[in-house]
Amino acid sequence: MALLSVTDLSVSIGRLKPLDGISFDIGKGEIVGMVGESGSGKSLTAMSVMGLLPLIGGKMTSGSIRFDGIDLATLPEPRYRALRGRRIALISQNPMTSLDPIIRIGAQIDQVGILHLGLSDAAAKARSIDIMRQLRIPEAATVHGNYPHQLSGGMKQRVVIAMALAADPELMIADEPTTALDVTIQAQIIQIVVDLVRERGLSLMLITHDMGVVAQACDKVVVLYAGRVAERNGIDAIFGEPQHPYTRELIRCIPRHDQLRGSLTGIPGAVPSVMDYPSGCRFHPRCADALDICAGAIPALEQKAAGFAACHAAINAAGKVSAHG
Amino acid sequence: MADEAQAQLPSDNLVAVRDLTREYKSSGGLFSTARSMRAVNKVSLDVPRGKVTGVVGESGCGKSTLARLVLRLIEPTAGRVLFNGADLASLAPAQLRKLRCSMQMVFQDPYSAIDPRYTIRRALLEPFEVQGVALGKGEQEDRLIALISKVGLSPRMIESYPHQLSGGQKQRVGIARALALSPSFLVLDEPTASLDVSIQAQIIGLLEALKQDLGLTYLFISHDLSLVRYFCDRIVVMYLGRVVEILPGARAEARHHYARTLMDSHFVPDPKHRKAVTLLVGEIPSPFNLPPGCAFAERCPAASPLCQRERPLLSEHATGHLVACHHPA
């Protein structure tokens, strides 16, 4: 059974409906990439799982989120609090906002062990330093006594990751954990996190827009477009045999050094806004494969080869889509 | 003036930068002494005509300062920029202003590059006003339509305001504005960094087509290594204000150890070729307190005592391939 199972999740914020029928699973020990462009609903999906929708005035209007058999959608807040940070941990995009600037680094990590695992101060500190070492924070014992402003961005993000790991979670959600960082630091952090997650057999939901990171780190991929799942597939199929035209085009947008000059064209049009989603398949105005039916009817997420795709063209003409790729 | 100089100095390089330096000083306070750092430190490079020269490096390496120095948007502390053979420093203000028609910049953030209260029409006419180019009513309309069509936007958008456009459309307006005065040289300062991948690819495709059609020369500032490898003819790698390597082509193998790590640190979008990235030890040293030798020595796997002592100079290892390293790979 999957550790996390999201089924038909829809979310509304006021009159807007930014998530519409999201379904996917994350198994134990799996790294699942959530990809899509801005406004596709990646972060909102993460917030839904963390039970943080009320913070932004959002609410689930349908569907279920089950974590290890527990129905998160109906879980009362006190019980959610015991789960959040303890069994499900979040690494957010900006390390600067995850750390309290006036509390020492060490105290912030220790707190997780003290609160969630009931450790003594000394035991929590020893544990924090151990985790910091595993994240290759140099001179971990010294850094433990530092304030956030004394650290670089990359080190701060490692501290945030240490906080996430301190409660020994089963599922980690990393929301674009490296976008604010320099390229060499990004590579280091992704590498360290993926190695640790694999080593400990944790499950990871990795939210990113970097298809290179996805290719190198993930087992499975959920491709979101404008608040819906376009495709769900194994990592090799996503890159080798994409079933949805959007996945195929997204991969074509990655520049490759061995690629012919002038062959990078992008996807025509713009990413639609939640205020103004197109009818039918939301990708149809930008899609080269669009049929007449695409503007009128919402395609269901259907099994296609080893994965799932929500595309009329892919379902109608088996094999046609992948032949383009 | 510029034409005259060009006639004297025929060259394949539209722009040449020589020993360009920009120093910033922090004034001392009650508890600190005044310090200075060089954001750009004796940088020399050539920008060949009709080519794309890429400048890569991490934050703080001086690439954006370099971009502004090349266009003389900020004054250098030392060094020269030659445009078509003419030394920008030797030009009178009026001449420099005139030359600015030929060299323009596309900024990273299309959201802040256009005044939110301006219509697209007004934003595109501004360069003409600044340069005192008087356009007749009909000519104005023709120019605007030509400009906006050139960047793939519909002429109907001319009366729109920036907030009515998507990020990609705004960047297209930014490019149209840069093209308004028919420049020959564009500095592109991370023009796609704030855009979605599908839009980034559109904009890069547009820039490639424009370069072909208009015979433009680009200086492309970026931290996106896969993009630089795809888009650029030559790659200049910077570290802490200095050029550490100039690669003659996008496929050339880097030989400076920092450049190698940087080039290696992008994730290949192919799950069939998974590989561990090289992890750099340590962090970028403070630019206020640089070591006497190679600035990368502390983090370099190949560093020797010589590297701690003596700064390696940029020297040619193969045709057009320059490396500043005592022990190149």
Side-chain angles (χ1 to χ4, degrees):
Chain A
M1 194 186 72
L3 180 65
L4 178 77
S5 198
V6 173
T7 314
D8 194 32
L9 168 69
S10 296
V11 165
S12 68
I13 302 174
R15 286 185 297 113
L16 302 176
K17 211 180 167 193
L19 285 189
D20 185 13
I22 306 288
S23 300
F24 65 94
D25 288 341
I26 299 181
K28 195 170 159 13
E30 265 181 351
I31 301 184
V32 176
M34 300 282 284
V35 300
E37 300 179 274
S38 54
S40 62
K42 309 184 293 285
S43 296
L44 209 52
T45 305
M47 289 189 87
S48 308
V49 175
M50 292 300 287
L52 297 175
L53 287 178
L55 288 184
I56 51 163
K59 64 169 197 281
M60 265 178 74
T61 51
S62 78
S64 74
I65 304 174
R66 298 186 79 82
F67 173 78
D68 195 20
I70 308 165
D71 184 358
L72 297 186
T74 57
L75 196 68
E77 180 58 24
R79 288 189 55 206
Y80 223 128
R81 296 190 80 156
L83 206 71
R84 198 188 286 133
R86 164 66 193 87
R87 298 184 68 190
I88 309 175
L90 177 72
I91 302 167
S92 67
Q93 203 169 115
N94 188 348
M96 290 47 161
T97 56
S98 302
L99 295 172
D100 190 323
I102 58 163
I103 299 179
R104 288 178 202 274
I105 296 290
Q108 300 192 48
I109 309 175
D110 294 354
Q111 217 168 41
V112 178
I114 296 168
L115 279 177
H116 284 301
L117 303 181
L119 298 179
S120 69
D121 289 9
K125 180 176 176 183
R127 192 182 148 80
S128 301
I129 292 174
D130 182 44
I131 294 168
M132 289 164 76
R133 287 209 179 103
Q134 288 179 42
L135 287 165
R136 305 197 207 183
I137 296 177
E139 296 172 62
T142 313
V143 174
H144 189 271
N146 284 355
Y147 287 96
H149 76 266
Q150 293 172 288
L151 304 184
S152 66
M155 280 302 147
K156 269 189 254 196
Q157 190 59 298
R158 289 186 204 202
V159 168
V160 172
I161 295 166
M163 283 170 71
L165 284 169
D168 223 350
E170 292 142 75
L171 172 66
M172 292 228 292
I173 300 177
D175 187 358
E176 308 249 14
T178 59
T179 28
L181 305 171
D182 267 322
V183 274
T184 57
I185 312 293
Q186 274 183 26
Q188 286 175 24
I189 291 198
I190 294 285
Q191 181 100 42
I192 292 170
V193 169
V194 167
D195 287 352
L196 264 180
V197 162
R198 293 269 187 230
E199 206 179 289
R200 295 176 168 213
L202 305 183
S203 305
L204 175 66
M205 183 202 286
L206 182 59
I207 297 176
T208 178
H209 62 269
D210 185 334
M211 293 301 275
V213 170
V214 171
Q216 292 294 317
C218 299
D219 304 312
K220 297 195 311 197
V221 181
V222 181
V223 182
L224 296 179
Y225 187 78
R228 290 187 189 141
V229 175
E231 176 167 356
R232 245 174 34 212
N233 221 328
I235 186 73
D236 289 330
I238 285 283
F239 285 87
E241 236 183 302
Q243 298 300 320
H244 196 288
Y246 177 62
T247 314
R248 180 189 75 211
E249 293 305 320
L250 196 62
I251 287 164
R252 278 200 194 157
C253 287
I254 317 166
R256 292 166 197 251
H257 66 92
D258 53 357
Q259 189 176 346
L260 209 62
R261 285 286 174 83
S263 57
L264 196 67
T265 50
I267 307 176
V271 179
S273 147
V274 65
M275 320 265 223
D276 192 20
Y277 277 147
S279 63
C281 170
R282 289 174 181 167
F283 186 59
H284 85 263
R286 307 177 73 191
C287 183
D289 298 356
L291 311 168
D292 289 342
I293 184 179
C294 301
I298 300 172
L301 195 64
E302 287 179 45
Q303 178 122 29
K304 188 80 192 26
F308 288 82
C311 175
H312 294 300
I315 301 300
N316 284 1
K320 176 174 171 271
V321 173
S322 57
H324 283 268
Chain B
M1 166 89 199
D3 293 341
E4 202 181 289
Q6 190 190 3
Q8 287 165 359
L9 279 171
S11 156
D12 289 344
N13 297 322
L14 180 61
V15 178
V17 170
R18 293 291 174 264
D19 294 324
L20 203 58
T21 300
R22 172 70 201 207
E23 195 168 273
Y24 287 103
K25 291 191 168 71
S26 82
S27 53
L30 191 53
F31 301 109
S32 58
T33 50
R35 318 183 283 175
S36 70
M37 59 88 83
R38 288 180 170 178
V40 169
N41 203 346
K42 292 201 170 168
V43 167
S44 297
L45 59 95
D46 294 328
V47 181
R49 210 179 288 274
K51 303 266 189 225
V52 185
T53 301
V55 178
V56 289
E58 299 181 87
S59 53
C61 75
K63 56 190 192 300
S64 284
T65 307
L66 178 68
R68 283 157 179 76
L69 285 171
V70 167
L71 291 181
R72 219 178 171 81
L73 298 177
I74 51 178
E75 294 285 315
T77 311
R80 298 190 300 158
V81 177
L82 303 161
F83 184 83
N84 246 336
D87 186 345
L88 295 190
S90 72
L91 298 179
Q95 288 172 313
L96 181 62
R97 170 172 281 221
K98 194 134 187 280
L99 195 62
R100 286 201 189 283
C101 298
S102 312
M103 37 188 233
Q104 291 287 323
M105 182 145 171
V106 177
F107 294 91
Q108 174 175 352
D109 184 4
Y111 299 84
S112 56
I114 315 168
D115 192 316
R117 297 164 306 169
Y118 281 16
T119 57
I120 304 311
R121 168 190 296 277
R122 194 160 163 210
L124 293 180
L125 285 177
E126 203 183 18
F128 297 101
E129 280 166 33
V130 169
Q131 284 291 341
V133 181
L135 297 173
K137 248 299 175 242
E139 196 189 355
Q140 190 181 46
E141 216 53 36
D142 291 348
R143 286 266 194 122
L144 281 178
I145 289 171
L147 258 183
I148 203 151
S149 312
K150 209 182 271 175
V151 296
L153 293 177
S154 154
R156 282 174 315 179
M157 283 179 179
I158 279 180
E159 308 304 335
S160 308
Y161 286 91
H163 74 264
Q164 294 170 300
L165 306 185
S166 68
Q169 288 170 333
K170 265 183 258 198
Q171 192 54 292
R172 286 173 192 264
V173 173
I175 294 169
R177 227 162 98 102
L179 293 175
L181 299 162
S182 312
S184 49
F185 176 53
L186 287 188
V187 173
L188 311 166
D189 187 10
E190 310 227 24
T192 61
S194 59
L195 302 174
D196 274 316
V197 274
S198 71
I199 310 301
Q200 161 174 294
Q202 278 179 14
I203 297 292
I204 293 297
L206 171 69
L207 288 168
E208 280 185 317
L210 290 170
K211 178 177 157 292
Q212 282 298 322
D213 296 350
L214 307 172
L216 299 171
T217 300
Y218 292 153
L219 185 67
F220 180 69
I221 315 286
S222 182
H223 67 270
D224 185 331
L225 301 162
S226 43
L227 195 55
V228 165
R229 286 222 148 161
Y230 165 77
F231 190 49
C232 299
D233 298 300
R234 301 169 77 231
I235 302 173
V236 178
V237 183
M238 288 185 73
Y239 185 70
L240 280 165
R242 288 186 192 269
V243 172
V244 296
E245 182 156 6
I246 298 180
L247 294 160
R251 287 176 204 200
E253 183 102 8
R255 302 196 58 198
H256 190 283
H257 297 277
Y258 172 71
R260 287 176 81 85
T261 318
L262 188 67
M263 293 299 179
D264 268 354
S265 61
H266 89 270
F267 291 96
V268 183
D270 183 355
K272 294 215 158 46
H273 294 95
R274 287 196 174 172
K275 65 174 181 79
V277 294
T278 329
L279 297 184
L280 268 180
V281 292
E283 304 216 343
I284 299 183
S286 160
F288 285 103
N289 190 16
L290 286 183
C294 172
F296 188 61
E298 291 271 295
R299 311 174 73 190
C300 182
S304 71
L306 173 68
C307 307
Q308 310 278 358
R309 236 178 17 246
E310 218 173 280
R311 196 169 51 77
L313 300 173
L314 205 58
S315 60
E316 192 152 15
H317 283 243
T319 312
H321 192 163
L322 284 79
V323 187
C325 178
H326 291 305
H327 315 289

